[in-house]
Amino acid sequence: MLDDRAKLLLKALVERYIADGQPVGSRTLSRASGLELSPATIRNVMADLEELGLIVSPHTSAGRIPTARGYRLFVDTMLTVQRDELPTVQLMPEQPQKVIANAANLLSNLSQFVGVVMSPRRPSVFRHLEFLRLSEKRLLVIIVSPDGDVQNRVIFTQADYSQSQLIEAANFLNANYSGLAMEQVRERLQSEVEALQSEIGALMQAAVNVGTEAMSDSADSVVISGERNLLSVSDFSSDMGNLRRAFDLFEQKTQILRLLENSSKAEGVRIFIGGESQVVPFEELSVVSAPYEVDGQIVGTLGVIGPTRMPYDKMIQIVDITSKLVSNALSHRN
């Protein structure tokens, strides 16, 4: 447990390092903290903080810098978010993908780091479904959404179905479940399908499973803006290995999508420091994220990705405001 003096020195050290990007020595820390302490006392406290894994001394300097653990303690117990004046910004109610793209650019421009926005999850509702026999035990499932989007998926079955069986299964699904989300259909099928032939029931279950995947695949995408901003961040520009790994992460998108999916389960702003999320396992990166809503329902997540040495108070404010702007723009779209 840190005493008040150690907390104050750690807070001053983190704030000074975020501002300057240079290891903080005892003399600088004495001035920054405002404490009347001797250099020897400050060195002793810094040695204690280092032993606790909260700060570390780079090889080339006598000063110290925060570790991911030090940043976490700072964010959780010492950070105060000032409501600074941000530029007056607006997101106009437009088509969802336009709102999402504009939001990613806004996050990037305000933070000067990387803005990421998950496209809104659409409910996996189907309007119409058909089966087409391709060959023995191989079928094409055609799923039409209410807005006319068509998804095709090939499934392999244990039984070989006749054309009449395929029509029977499709008619049953369309007549009883059209307009419902695939997840609802799956639940209802489990109890209702016993009244049908077992083979037809298995076919419908397979169609619903593949339909859920198909419709979620079409909705889940991430818009990323401002990757080039990392080129001007000294923490990355001085280490091409770190920069390359970060750009690989943005190119693949899968890990970012998983991180945003996890974040959407929490309320308010979340902060992942130096690989804490386990989804984006980079000691050099931090993520500040928040969910956004449409008509009161959480449908996606957005955030800022940047170096662990970021001004967390400002990033929290930017992400929080942008999530509200996106919620408002998507909820009031005609």
Side-chain angles (χ1 to χ4, degrees), residues 263-329:
S263 300
S264 69
K265 294 165 187 160
E267 292 182 12
V269 176
R270 290 189 74 184
I271 300 172
F272 301 97
I273 298 172
E276 280 178 336
S277 69
Q278 320 238 308
V279 178
V280 180
F282 294 102
E283 285 299 313
E284 304 81 13
L285 286 177
S286 284
V287 183
V288 181
S289 68
Y292 64 87
E293 303 175 344
V294 174
D295 300 324
Q297 294 289 319
I298 291 176
V299 296
T301 317
L302 52 77
V304 166
I305 299 178
T308 49
R309 187 179 69 84
M310 64 163 66
Y312 289 96
D313 52 347
K314 184 180 179 185
M315 296 305 114
I316 289 169
Q317 199 180 164
I318 289 168
V319 168
D320 185 42
I321 287 173
T322 306
S323 75
K324 290 179 171 63
L325 290 171
V326 171
S327 299
N328 193 55

Side-chain angles (χ1 to χ4, degrees), residues 126-131 141-144 170 173-174 182 207-208:
F126 82 98
R127 186 182 74 201
H128 185 77
L129 184 146
E130 287 181 31
F131 295 106
V141 185
I142 304 165
I143 307 142
V144 184
L173 288 168
N174 293 328
M182 287 291 185
V208 170

Side-chain angles (χ1 to χ4, degrees), residues 188-217:
R188 286 178 52 175
L189 267 179
Q190 286 173 347
S191 58
E192 297 174 8
V193 86
E194 293 169 8
L196 301 161
Q197 297 176 41
S198 59
E199 285 186 355
I200 296 290
L203 171 61
M204 288 192 288
Q205 290 281 14
V208 170
N209 289 339
V210 79
T212 304
E213 292 172 14
M215 300 189 86
S216 62
D217 285 350

Side-chain angles (χ1 to χ4, degrees), residues 42-319:
I42 290 180
R43 280 195 296 271
N44 287 337
V45 175
M46 289 176 79
D48 291 340
L49 293 174
E50 191 163 8
E51 196 171 318
L52 289 168
L54 299 171
I55 61 175
V56 68
S57 176
H59 299 302
T60 55
S61 169
R64 309 293 203 283
I65 65 174
T67 62
R69 190 174 171 187
Y71 279 121
R72 171 48 65 192
L73 186 63
F74 168 76
V75 165
D76 287 348
T77 65
M78 306 169 195
L79 185 66
T80 52
V81 179
Q82 305 289 340
R83 286 295 166 190
D84 298 328
E85 281 296 318
L86 290 176
T88 304
V89 290
Q90 232 179 325
L91 286 174
M92 300 304 294
E94 298 183 82
Q95 289 299 317
Q97 279 309 116
K98 186 91 180 280
V99 173
I100 296 310
N102 290 342
N105 288 333
L106 180 63
L107 286 165
S108 170
N109 291 337
L110 290 176
S111 68
Q112 288 302 298
F113 298 132
V114 183
V116 294
V117 186
M118 187 175 91
S119 296
R121 284 190 302 270
R122 296 177 298 178
S124 54
V125 175
F126 82 98
R127 186 182 74 201
H128 185 77
L129 184 146
E130 287 181 31
F131 295 106
L132 183 64
R133 190 176 188 274
L134 299 176
S135 60
E136 185 179 346
K137 299 182 181 180
R138 184 166 164 263
L139 305 174
L140 181 69
V141 185
I142 304 165
I143 307 142
V144 184
S145 71
D147 58 6
D149 184 39
V150 179
Q151 293 289 322
N152 299 318
R153 287 294 186 276
V154 175
I155 60 173
F156 296 88
T157 60
Q158 292 184 325
D160 187 23
Y161 295 96
S162 66
Q163 188 60 35
S164 61
Q165 286 176 311
L166 297 180
I167 293 171
E168 180 188 348
N171 286 346
F172 184 89
L173 288 168
N174 293 328
N176 292 281
Y177 303 126
S178 177
L180 295 179
M182 287 291 185
E183 293 80 2
Q184 294 173 283
V185 178
R186 184 191 286 119
E187 288 175 14
R188 286 178 52 175
L189 267 179
Q190 286 173 347
S191 58
E192 297 174 8
V193 86
E194 293 169 8
L196 301 161
Q197 297 176 41
S198 59
E199 285 186 355
I200 296 290
L203 171 61
M204 288 192 288
Q205 290 281 14
V208 170
N209 289 339
V210 79
T212 304
E213 292 172 14
M215 300 189 86
S216 62
D217 285 350
S218 67
D220 282 349
S221 61
V222 180
V223 178
I224 300 175
S225 176
E227 300 100 307
R228 293 182 65 83
N229 285 339
L230 294 186
L231 294 172
S232 58
V233 175
S234 60
D235 310 55
F236 288 94
S237 58
S238 60
D239 188 329
M240 289 306 294
N242 282 345
L243 196 60
R244 194 174 297 113
R245 287 170 69 215
F247 273 80
D248 286 344
L249 171 71
F250 299 133
E251 196 170 311
Q252 292 168 6
K253 293 189 178 182
T254 311
Q255 286 173 288
I256 294 176
L257 182 60
R258 282 172 55 208
L259 174 67
L260 295 179
E261 280 280 10
N262 290 343
S263 300
S264 69
K265 294 165 187 160
E267 292 182 12
V269 176
R270 290 189 74 184
I271 300 172
F272 301 97
I273 298 172
E276 280 178 336
S277 69
Q278 320 238 308
V279 178
V280 180
F282 294 102
E283 285 299 313
E284 304 81 13
L285 286 177
S286 284
V287 183
V288 181
S289 68
Y292 64 87
E293 303 175 344
V294 174
D295 300 324
Q297 294 289 319
I298 291 176
V299 296
T301 317
L302 52 77
V304 166
I305 299 178
T308 49
R309 187 179 69 84
M310 64 163 66
Y312 289 96
D313 52 347
K314 184 180 179 185
M315 296 305 114
I316 289 169
Q317 199 180 164
I318 289 168
V319 168

